[in-house]
Amino acid sequence: MRLTKEEQAMLNGDFGEGAKLAMKILAAIGEACYADKMVPVSRTHVALSNQEADLWFAEKLVAGGAKCRISPTVNPGFDLEYFQGITTVDAGDEAVIKRTRAAYRELGATLTYNCTPYLEKNIPRFGEITAYSESSATPYINSVYGARTNREAAQSALCSAVTGVTPLYGYLLTENRRGQILVNVDAGELSDFDYQMLGYCTPKKTGFKIPVFRGITNPSPEALKDLGAELNTGGNVAMYHIIGVTPEAPTLEAAFQGETPREEVTVTRADLDRMQKELSTEGGKIDFALFGCPHLTIKQVGIIADRVKGKKLAVPLWIMASAFTKDLARKMGYLDILLAAGGDIAGDTCMDQPCWKFLYGKKGITDSPKCAYYTQRRNMAFVIRDIETCVDASLAGRV
Ligand code: F3S
């Protein structure tokens, strides 16, 4: 790779050991992916996991004196103080989360602890070059905003945050953003929940190609958030187009950059229904409800609050959302309604964290296939339904 004088100086260690390590990793990625130079990034997001390997790397950068040039927003862990009030948090887990917080603060990260940074606090404009990790973030950045990011790891995104650059390859190049397969969506009018299933089942038909959806009109931000999350749970898709909706696809021709689509598949209502059946555990008695994988928006919190208003839940119900959304919910009265019904909002929290140990071995209900998928290894089973049905089931204790 051709490096600028400053990049070479970083690689030589003139900016400290931390920046040297970050540049060394980015240069290696660039060489592996045939990039010939670095380009500046204007935004970054780090999907920190609060796991030991992640922490090891962040602390290594801290020990090397690294500071972020482009302060990244960061993924959720868990709200330690909140969970200490409702369960026993292992001393080891408490230590990891405290050290993680300290390391990222020291690096100069923007401590949003939220997995939907693209909806609040870290929103790019069309064409911006960025480095985002997190499954729902990369497709939203590339597809909905028309900004550019590769499907970064937490570590490579952090290296870009420290150095301010990323290797020029992959989705940063116009020719690699061309649609690769046409997906006709023939399923009638789609609800927000349908996009969860559409996201999960599309890669089963398309592989990891860039899908170009035809037949979708006016999807909500929530639908697109969940579509991206599921495209990266059912598969590995960092970019898609929707004809007439996303900015690089005003027409079919534009989405395929003038080429004729070589492949075409159709997703029907029967496909969506089959996917839901395959992913969901059998109905019956449930022990709890969990929403927010990815984090819920205030609109989604409002849907749940309206439905439980003045009622009592038969099972506990948690919503995961950013601290900003929780604060907004408090101001708007939603949090009081939820608390009165027996529900709550866990701010800054991810379902893939050790704070939920008290739910292991139990059966929950959720609207998120991603939530159900990741918790299998923790012996949690989920019935998957749309948000409204989930809430009704939580009021009844069964579905
Ligand atoms: Fe967010 Fe954790 Fe799910 S980061 S998308 S709640 S796995």
Side-chain angles (χ1 to χ4, degrees), residues 75-76 115 134 292-294 350-351 370:
N75 255 32
C115 50
E134 177 50 34
C293 179
C350 163
M351 61 78 205
K370 183 175 180 185

Side-chain angles (χ1 to χ4, degrees), residues 12-275:
N12 293 344
D14 297 357
F15 290 80
E17 286 302 308
K20 177 180 176 179
L21 175 62
M23 184 57 82
K24 186 176 167 191
I25 290 169
L26 292 178
I29 293 171
E31 295 205 344
C33 298
Y34 303 105
D36 60 1
K37 64 174 183 175
M38 301 285 178
V39 282
V41 292
S42 49
R43 295 176 182 280
T44 57
H45 175 79
V46 174
L48 64 82
S49 66
N50 291 292
Q51 289 165 5
E52 286 186 4
D54 217 19
L55 177 58
W56 173 83
F57 185 65
E59 287 184 338
K60 196 168 172 67
L61 290 179
V62 170
K67 290 279 177 204
C68 292
R69 291 183 166 202
I70 306 295
S71 177
T73 46
V74 295
N75 255 32
F78 64 94
D79 181 340
L80 179 61
E81 294 70 24
Y82 173 81
F83 280 94
Q84 280 173 330
I86 62 169
T87 186
T88 307
V89 176
D90 288 358
D93 296 332
E94 179 180 341
V96 169
I97 196 133
K98 282 185 168 166
R99 278 170 55 201
T100 300
R101 286 178 181 176
Y104 279 88
R105 191 180 304 123
E106 191 60 32
L107 287 166
T110 302
L111 301 177
T112 45
Y113 300 129
N114 165 233
C115 50
T116 58
Y118 48 87
L119 294 177
E120 50 186 34
K121 294 287 168 210
N122 206 353
I123 302 172
R125 62 175 162 71
F126 183 83
E128 233 178 296
I129 304 286
T130 68
Y132 279 67
S133 48
E134 177 50 34
S135 61
S136 72
T138 46
Y140 210 101
I141 297 299
N142 278 321
S143 318
V144 181
Y145 292 127
R148 299 186 176 199
T149 180
N150 280 311
R151 192 173 185 273
E152 301 291 350
Q155 289 72 25
S156 60
L158 183 54
C159 291
S160 287
V162 167
T163 59
V165 296
T166 189
L168 180 62
Y169 75 100
Y171 296 108
L172 307 188
L173 299 168
T174 301
E175 62 269 28
N176 295 333
R177 299 171 69 82
R178 177 186 299 130
Q180 295 171 322
I181 184 165
L182 182 60
V183 181
N184 295 300
V185 182
D186 183 12
E189 201 179 325
L190 298 179
S191 67
D192 279 1
F193 178 67
D194 288 331
Y195 285 85
Q196 306 253 29
M197 294 306 146
L198 178 64
Y200 207 102
C201 81
T202 294
K204 309 289 175 213
K205 293 189 177 234
T206 61
F208 299 164
K209 300 185 182 95
I210 297 177
V212 177
F213 293 104
R214 177 162 67 181
I216 293 179
T217 48
N218 211 19
S220 68
E222 287 78 11
L224 295 172
K225 159 177 79 87
D226 294 336
L227 174 67
E230 301 310 333
L231 283 168
N232 276 317
T233 306
N236 171 355
V237 179
M239 174 153 194
Y240 59 84
H241 299 286
I242 304 176
I243 297 169
V245 173
T246 54
E248 290 170 70
T251 61
L252 184 144
E253 292 69 29
F256 286 93
Q257 296 184 8
E259 288 189 354
T260 308
R262 290 194 203 127
E263 289 179 80
E264 186 170 339
V265 295
T266 299
V267 175
T268 63
R269 175 62 54 185
D271 290 321
L272 302 183
D273 291 346
R274 196 166 35 244
M275 197 75 256

